[in-house]
Amino acid sequence: DVKVTQSSRYLVKRTGEKVFLECVQDMDHENMFWYRQDPGLGLRLIYFSYDVKMKEKGDIPEGYSVSREKKERFSLILESASTNQTSMYLCASRDRGDHEQYFGPGTRLTVT
Amino acid sequence: QKEVEQDPGPLSVPEGAIVSLNCTYSNSAFQYFMWYRQYSRKGPELLMYTYSSGNKEDGRFTAQVDKSSKYISLFIRDSQPSDSATYLCAMIPYTGNQFYFGTGTSLTVIP
């Protein structure tokens, strides 16, 4: 079974803090994704990576950066957290050519 | 206009009812169509996928794609309380890495 794990289920941070969200997948997938999920807005793509050290902006990259130094790990960084970044963050991975994305359990981030 | 539109609901039905969930889309390049199910406090899981137009059945679930109308549906027969979840449609072009998701429809099946 594919497993995608995220470093925290719940996280509370203060405005202005630097926040790291970690995602690890164990199936050697090339593609990895970071989404945020908000009521009424659904899943919105922040960044995705199609290979180590490669990244592409999604629909809402502002205020976020990413890092992929190893194939299995994809990190989302909030350089200076703001209250409007309070959200559920979902990581996903996908094998190239596959139609399925495998999601992690999500991290509910609250910025106060 | 969003690429994928989905009625958010919420939808509440009695156990045993037939449920119909729908999405419309605007990009004619979409070729693969998926339905994900997301239980509360969990990540989405793939329920079904179809390629191009047509129907696909899996147990109580049927996925239908009408590319001419840019319309996809998921039917759930004999709905069960365990089907209570949010259902998200998703689609992707033939070549491409980005998935396009609907906003999700919240379904509650009442025993």
Side-chain angles (χ1 to χ4, degrees):
Chain A
D1 268 1
V2 175
K3 195 154 186 185
V4 179
T5 56
Q6 295 184 229
S7 50
S8 305
R9 293 299 306 272
Y10 300 94
L11 210 51
V12 180
K13 295 291 181 180
R14 291 191 175 168
T15 302
E17 278 194 82
K18 191 168 186 175
V19 182
F20 293 87
L21 303 182
E22 303 282 336
C23 175
V24 178
Q25 50 96 0
D26 65 358
M27 283 302 290
D28 204 37
H29 286 171
E30 287 88 0
N31 299 163
M32 295 188 75
F33 306 80
W34 274 108
Y35 296 90
R36 62 177 283 177
Q37 187 175 31
D38 301 286
L41 297 175
L43 282 166
R44 292 182 291 166
L45 181 66
I46 304 171
Y47 269 98
F48 71 94
S49 169
Y50 51 90
D51 206 344
V52 175
K53 296 190 187 294
M54 307 302 285
K55 61 186 178 186
E56 294 240 358
K57 292 180 181 179
D59 299 319
I60 50 162
E62 297 79 18
Y64 303 95
S65 62
V66 291
S67 172
R68 192 162 180 208
E69 297 296 318
K70 293 185 177 181
K71 195 173 186 180
E72 68 271 18
R73 189 179 298 268
F74 190 35
S75 302
L76 180 70
I77 303 148
L78 286 66
E79 296 290 341
S80 177
S82 63
T83 54
N84 63 12
Q85 292 179 310
T86 291
S87 186
M88 168 70 87
Y89 289 88
L90 288 160
C91 174
S93 75
R94 171 192 175 219
D95 201 9
R96 188 181 298 148
D98 194 0
H99 312 114
E100 180 170 4
Q101 286 194 14
Y102 297 86
F103 284 86
T107 296
R108 183 162 294 283
L109 172 67
T110 302
V111 183
T112 61
Chain B
Q1 184 192 3
K2 285 185 182 177
E3 300 241 30
V4 181
E5 299 276 359
Q6 183 176 8
D7 186 342
L11 198 56
S12 185
V13 302
E15 184 174 353
I18 296 174
V19 176
S20 171
L21 304 167
N22 310 294
C23 288
T24 58
Y25 63 96
S26 55
N27 188 344
S28 57
F30 290 143
Q31 291 285 342
Y32 294 99
F33 304 90
M34 289 143 282
W35 287 95
Y36 281 79
R37 179 175 60 195
Q38 184 177 20
Y39 290 114
S40 182
R41 298 188 182 89
K42 297 277 179 75
E45 294 176 300
L46 182 67
L47 191 58
M48 294 186 73
Y49 85 89
T50 52
Y51 170 68
S52 198
S53 283
N55 291 1
K56 185 174 183 179
E57 192 172 315
D58 184 1
R60 296 185 295 108
F61 298 88
T62 300
Q64 200 170 73
V65 175
D66 181 349
K67 289 193 72 182
S68 62
S69 303
K70 296 191 177 68
Y71 189 87
I72 70 170
S73 300
L74 177 71
F75 298 97
I76 307 174
R77 289 185 299 281
D78 187 26
S79 55
Q80 302 295 308
S82 59
D83 296 328
S84 298
T86 296
Y87 290 81
L88 301 109
C89 62
M91 40 203 84
I92 188 169
Y94 185 73
T95 57
N97 288 314
Q98 184 168 351
F99 284 53
Y100 294 83
F101 286 87
T103 52
T105 300
S106 174
L107 170 68
T108 301
V109 181
I110 302 166

